[in-house]
Amino acid sequence: MTDEADRGRVVEFAIGGMTCAACSARLEKVLNRQAGMQANVNLAAERARVRLTEAADEAAVVAAVAKAGFTAELVDGQTREREKAEKLRVYQREIRRFWIAVTLTLPLVGQMLFMFGEHGHLNELPRWLQLVLATPVQFWIGWRFYDGAYKALRGGGANMDVLVALGTSMAWGFSTVVTLFGLNQHVYFEGGAAVITLVLLGKLLEARAKARTSEAIESLIRLQPKTARVERDGQWVEMAVEALMPGDVFLVRPGESVPVDGEVVDGESSVNEAMLTGESMPLGKRAGDKVFAATANGQGALRCRATGVGEHTLLAGIIRLVGEAQGSKAPVQRLADRISSIFVPTVCAIALATFVGWWIYSGDFAEALVNAVAVLVIACPCALGLATPTAIMVGTGQGARAGILVRNAEALERAERITVLALDKTGTLTCGLPQVTDVVPRALAGDEALCLAALLEQNSEHPLAKAVVAAGTAVQTGSDERKVAGFKAIPGCGVEGEIDGRALRLGSPTWLGLAADSVVGELQQAGKTVVALNEGESTLAIFAVADALRPSSRLAVSRLRERGIRVVMLTGDNAATAAAIAAEAGIDEFRAGILPGDKAAAVQELKAGGGVVAMVGDGINDAPALAAADVSFAIGAGSDAAIEAADLTLIRSDLLGVVDAIALSAATLGKIRQNLFFAFIYNVLGIPLAALGWLNPVVAGAAMAMSSVSVVSNSLLLKRWRPKSQAGR
């Protein structure tokens, strides 16, 4: 069995019926107790991601969720639309119920304004009328709290619904007894009705705010075109994007969005890829260039061949990654989870102690009851449960808009604490496209030597070989029909072969006995890689190849160092070339001559020094090092293996994206800390104040309703975050 099979498959479910953090914590505990299930439940997203082994299946998850008192639906391509329609229907129904509750509650609360003064009791509504007004609010409008409390208790837990149902029922029950038996006591119908109305208002505001936290992924989904113009038997036919297959040729007219990932066959245009990279400047596209689904075509028409369709487009991958990140749980959430699991029983115990204490202290049953109700009503586990996931959802969404894809919340949390950043050189610090910069003739003219070198290298896959072939092709006056005989590649040295009977070798100066050559030394000191062409012992020419530093690399290194991050460059180049590139980039520390397989060992060595070590790379040979790092970044233009191994992917091939990602991590973690502080301080202050009799149940209900709204609203402030690297380059 493969490792993937051992780990199991991950399935996502839409969960219905959760009302607070106690619900999500209890459901997660229930699922994790089942054989073959490993679950992560997200209250804000109303999702459960479950890893299933062969011991469990989807039906078992649905059954376990139902037994816990909730509903579960397997997420598929249509789930989001069905969910939106259902949520809109429920929201509209709750809006109607809220206004009915307001209509019934206002007379009860309004009478309180006229009850102050010597004869205030004369302005009190008849108690039978108060009972008539309060009862529908308590048992019809407030039925959702009874239903939620029953399901929670049936499942062996307790949630916010238990607190609201218990507190308001105590107020209504006491007032009803006083009314029916004509007792000389104050009634609290207005308290129970007002609490239910205010909590319902808070839930409606919370639902609106929570819907906004997922706007980023919704906007990505809306970008996907529905149809495409596809070539069939020489005719252009409009068809659904879902029907396209790899290899299909499609047309993108001026102003249209690209339907799927592809490669330009013919035509020229500029394409705005801001939705992928965050860069506002359009990129020129011509034959051979790649185009991506949902990017906006400019003025020209492009005829393209599909390379990625359906779930295999870059956009689909982004949506998938953002969804996974939004559903993941940051380590900082663990404390809130532990507190939420014992929150409701603790509050009930405090309320009981408050009731008993006040009854003994004052001898007034009504006063003791009111203070106990205030304790039950003001306690809010929702704020704790929403503090982390709402910030994660908004933060990862904003990251996706800026071309930063976060694989999971844990990586986002660690990124803020990076102390050491290891950088691959080629393709990360540099553009990754080596070019021949110098040709030094010796025993042969430069152009002829370059043509011979290009012929030798045409069968090699080495990046330097491609640079030599490109330079040789550029100086040819016509087609070169000469053949290479006896071609042989010597790993780590170079290549050799015969052209027109001449035995030629092209490779490193050390291999060819030129290590002490002054010209070779000067070129290497300039940060260039040197190769030479020899015939026997005679040197025909010396070539210098350089991979230019990305324009933004020096600024990125500077900003990383300003954050106190130690930057280390890892490269397989010789020490002289590495030193030159490092100096140009503003890097003081580097490791030269590192073979691809040794990069992971270099990262482990850095980790041994303490701190949080991150790695940035773009190639297949960087994947082991990326996996070894505490936090890993893949440059988007890199290989699939590097992207798969990385915690964060930078769609824009720009090192400044790492600076942006660290800034995003700091901003998101800042919001999480603020949210947790607000949630904790609210409960730490509110519950004692209620227990001391300093809070009326109505005020407590309003405070509880607004606590969750304030936490979600604070998270939404992250929408103001923008990558600073876009300006001032």
Side-chain angles (χ1 to χ4, degrees), residues 293-487:
T295 53
N297 187 26
Q299 300 302 313
L302 295 174
R303 185 166 165 266
C304 311
R305 179 174 290 104
T307 56
V309 300
E311 292 298 309
H312 302 287
T313 64
L314 179 58
L315 178 63
I318 292 173
I319 293 171
R320 188 165 53 251
L321 274 177
V322 173
E324 289 174 2
Q326 290 184 341
S328 62
K329 186 173 293 186
V332 73
Q333 175 72 13
R334 291 170 188 155
L335 175 61
D337 286 346
R338 286 197 296 270
I339 292 174
S340 296
S341 64
I342 61 171
F343 187 89
V344 175
T346 302
V347 170
C348 289
I350 294 172
L352 179 61
T354 300
F355 174 74
V356 173
W358 272 98
W359 197 2
I360 294 172
Y361 171 74
S362 67
D364 188 336
F365 177 85
E367 185 178 12
L369 180 68
V370 168
N371 291 335
V373 169
V375 170
L376 290 170
V377 168
I378 198 168
C380 185
C382 294
L384 284 172
L386 293 169
T388 299
T390 52
I392 292 293
M393 289 176 73
V394 178
T396 52
Q398 289 301 103
R401 291 174 186 268
I404 303 165
L405 300 185
V406 182
R407 183 171 295 278
N408 56 62
E410 187 174 357
L412 188 63
E413 181 177 334
R414 284 199 305 264
E416 182 201 29
R417 305 197 304 270
I418 292 172
T419 55
V420 182
L421 185 69
L423 299 169
D424 173 53
K425 178 183 77 70
T426 305
T428 302
L429 275 172
T430 64
C431 296
L433 295 172
Q435 297 178 330
V436 174
T437 58
D438 299 87
V439 179
V440 181
R442 285 287 171 90
L444 192 65
D447 286 356
E448 175 59 17
L450 201 51
C451 288
L452 290 173
L455 286 169
L456 271 180
E457 292 280 37
Q458 63 187 356
N459 293 319
S460 174
E461 291 298 320
H462 195 281
L464 295 183
K466 294 179 180 179
V468 171
V469 171
T473 303
V475 299
Q476 285 179 6
T477 55
S479 60
D480 196 332
E481 301 295 334
R482 289 179 289 182
K483 302 294 182 184
V484 179
F487 175 81

Side-chain angles (χ1 to χ4, degrees), residues 422 570 598-610 613 624-625 627-630:
L570 306 179
D598 296 334
K599 286 185 179 179
V603 170
Q604 294 289 3
E605 180 187 334
L606 291 171
K607 287 173 68 175
V613 178
D630 295 314

Side-chain angles (χ1 to χ4, degrees), residues 97-378:
R97 290 190 175 187
F98 167 72
W99 285 114
I100 293 172
V102 169
T103 303
L104 295 172
T105 304
L106 275 178
L108 296 171
V109 176
Q111 68 175 334
M112 304 296 292
L113 301 176
F114 303 100
M115 290 180 64
F116 299 102
E118 186 177 351
H119 303 291
H121 66 281
L122 298 176
N123 297 314
E124 183 181 11
L125 290 175
R127 291 185 175 180
W128 65 265
L129 180 57
Q130 293 188 51
L131 176 61
V132 169
L133 291 172
T135 300
V137 177
Q138 183 70 42
F139 296 105
W140 177 44
I141 306 298
W143 178 251
R144 58 178 290 167
F145 302 112
Y146 288 100
D147 183 53
Y150 167 73
K151 289 178 178 176
L153 293 171
R154 186 188 67 182
N159 59 6
M160 187 199 72
D161 291 332
V162 173
L163 299 179
V164 175
L166 184 59
T168 58
S169 295
M170 288 168 63
W172 181 89
F174 173 77
S175 302
T176 300
V177 170
V178 169
T179 300
L180 294 179
F181 290 95
L183 303 178
N184 186 26
Q185 292 281 353
H186 182 68
V187 293
Y188 298 96
F189 287 118
E190 80 286 343
V195 164
I196 288 175
T197 303
L198 288 169
V199 172
L200 185 56
L201 173 62
K203 284 293 179 184
L204 291 170
L205 293 174
E206 180 187 314
R208 286 190 62 182
K210 281 167 65 178
R212 291 181 60 198
T213 63
S214 59
E215 277 182 2
I217 196 167
E218 292 288 347
S219 64
L220 288 174
I221 292 170
R222 286 195 297 269
L223 288 172
Q224 294 179 298
K226 304 297 183 187
T227 61
R229 293 177 63 82
V230 182
E231 192 174 30
R232 289 284 187 269
D233 300 323
Q235 302 292 321
W236 293 109
V237 179
E238 190 161 317
M239 58 191 299
V241 168
E242 292 82 4
L244 264 69
M245 299 290 288
D248 283 344
V249 175
F250 60 89
L251 178 67
V252 187
R253 293 178 295 189
E256 291 183 339
S257 293
V258 179
V260 295
D261 290 0
E263 183 178 296
V264 178
V265 177
D266 57 56
E268 288 191 20
S269 185
S270 59
V271 176
N272 188 334
E273 297 182 349
M275 48 75 62
L276 291 178
T277 65
E279 291 282 5
S280 57
M281 290 298 293
L283 297 176
K285 300 290 183 180
R286 60 186 62 183
D289 290 338
K290 293 181 179 180
V291 291
F292 302 100
T295 53
N297 187 26
Q299 300 302 313
L302 295 174
R303 185 166 165 266
C304 311
R305 179 174 290 104
T307 56
V309 300
E311 292 298 309
H312 302 287
T313 64
L314 179 58
L315 178 63
I318 292 173
I319 293 171
R320 188 165 53 251
L321 274 177
V322 173
E324 289 174 2
Q326 290 184 341
S328 62
K329 186 173 293 186
V332 73
Q333 175 72 13
R334 291 170 188 155
L335 175 61
D337 286 346
R338 286 197 296 270
I339 292 174
S340 296
S341 64
I342 61 171
F343 187 89
V344 175
T346 302
V347 170
C348 289
I350 294 172
L352 179 61
T354 300
F355 174 74
V356 173
W358 272 98
W359 197 2
I360 294 172
Y361 171 74
S362 67
D364 188 336
F365 177 85
E367 185 178 12
L369 180 68
V370 168
N371 291 335
V373 169
V375 170
L376 290 170
V377 168
I378 198 168

Side-chain angles (χ1 to χ4, degrees), residues 13 30 67 69 154 308 412 459 468 532 534 539 624 657 659 710:
F13 294 86
V30 167
K67 190 174 180 180
R154 186 188 67 182
L412 188 63
N459 293 319
V468 171
N534 272 26
T539 301
V659 182
S710 63

